[in-house]
Amino acid sequence: MKDIKRACYIDKKPGISRLWYVSVEEVRSLAITAEDTVSVTLKPGGRWGEIHGKRTTAASDWDRRFDNRIQTLLPGWTMQDAVSIGRLVHGRYLVKWTDHAGDTRLCGYGEPLHLAIAQTAPETPAEYQGIMLTFSCESEFGFLKIVE
């Protein structure tokens, strides 16, 4: 049995530092460039939208296919505020993020992500409620390194 250790993150803070999404309608091409890397080219005028969330997590579970999920919390948002982004639940997306180690990953290759929005309760009475954004899909691909 092989040892499991965090050699790639020695002296580096774990976690996601920045998160972006783009509609598949804005993507010109998507190509695997190596075993675990992918490149993305957007159409003219296409751009990645940054999501300024908190407690962002990414999980990819495998059982014959990958069950991919990226979640982020937008504190201080209400469902009324979310109406302005509610139309996004009808789209399909690619999501990329950069972790604190400086690596950038992509999810949505092979099967674009769906978006769900849910209201959250505050952790303390002094805090605001918020909304949780969850991007998810089942795919033959998990998370890939992105080459830009």
Side-chain angles (χ1 to χ4, degrees), residues 9 12-18 20 97-105:
Y9 288 106
K12 294 184 181 180
K13 181 180 171 185
I16 295 172
S17 62
R18 297 184 71 188
W20 299 268
W97 62 93
T98 300
D99 62 24
H100 291 292
D103 296 324
T104 302
R105 305 269 180 207

Side-chain angles (χ1 to χ4, degrees), residues 75-144:
W77 283 62
T78 65
M79 288 307 280
Q80 291 81 15
D81 295 329
V83 168
S84 64
I85 61 172
R87 61 184 165 70
L88 295 175
V89 298
H90 301 292
R92 303 291 299 275
Y93 303 96
L94 300 179
V95 172
K96 72 176 181 176
W97 62 93
T98 300
D99 62 24
H100 291 292
D103 296 324
T104 302
R105 305 269 180 207
L106 177 94
C107 188
Y109 184 88
E111 184 65 35
L113 298 150
H114 295 278
L115 172 63
I117 300 172
Q119 190 166 345
T120 64
E123 292 181 8
T124 68
E127 294 178 344
Y128 295 104
Q129 64 187 22
I131 58 171
M132 180 67 72
L133 302 180
T134 303
F135 292 90
S136 64
C137 73
E138 283 188 17
S139 176
E140 63 183 291
F141 296 94
F143 303 153
L144 301 169

